[in-house]
Amino acid sequence: MTATENLIAAIGPWLDEAKLHMDQERVDAYVACLQADGADVQIVIRLREGTISLDGTHDDQRLDFYRQAVRPPEALNWIFGAHRSKDEQLR
C-alpha cells in the first residue's frame, strides 16, 4: 500500500476512537455535519502543534468535535529538510 492508502485506512479506526471521547451532543453534531447540505467534516493534522483534530463546518460555523495531542511525527524533520544535506537545503 502507498503512504496515502495507509493514511486513508487509518481514518476509520481513528474516527471510531474519537467518537468514544465525544459526548452525545458532539456525536449528534458530527453526524449532522456528515449529512447536511453545505456542511463538512475535516480531520486536521497540525504537525507543529502536535495535534490531530476532528472539526466540522455548518452554516459558516466551525465546530470542534475532538482533539488529540500526539508526539510530533518524524515527518517534521522530512518537511523541514533535515533529510537533505545543508547544500540541498539552501537551494
Side-chain angles (χ1 to χ4, degrees), residues 47-48 71-85 89:
L47 295 174
R48 292 187 63 147
R71 188 181 61 127
E74 293 299 318
L76 278 177
N77 287 336
W78 184 266
I79 290 166
F80 294 111
H83 67 285
R84 297 181 291 172
S85 71
Q89 290 176 23

Side-chain angles (χ1 to χ4, degrees), residues 2-30:
T2 67
T4 300
E5 291 168 332
N6 287 332
L7 184 59
I8 298 301
I11 290 172
W14 188 84
L15 285 172
D16 290 342
E17 182 180 326
K19 286 187 281 187
L20 294 174
H21 297 280
M22 293 189 287
D23 60 25
Q24 191 59 48
E25 184 178 338
R26 288 182 192 268
V27 171
D28 292 344
Y30 163 73

Side-chain angles (χ1 to χ4, degrees), residues 26-81:
R26 288 182 192 268
V27 171
D28 292 344
Y30 163 73
V31 171
C33 282
L34 289 173
Q35 297 173 343
D37 289 336
D40 203 357
V41 174
Q42 304 88 32
I43 296 172
V44 180
I45 301 171
R46 292 174 179 87
L47 295 174
R48 292 187 63 147
E49 183 180 289
T51 62
I52 300 173
S53 63
L54 180 61
D55 304 329
T57 53
H58 188 269
D59 292 332
D60 295 324
Q61 288 185 319
R62 186 174 169 277
L63 307 167
D64 297 319
F65 299 127
Y66 175 68
R67 184 174 298 243
Q68 178 182 21
V70 295
R71 188 181 61 127
E74 293 299 318
L76 278 177
N77 287 336
W78 184 266
I79 290 166
F80 294 111

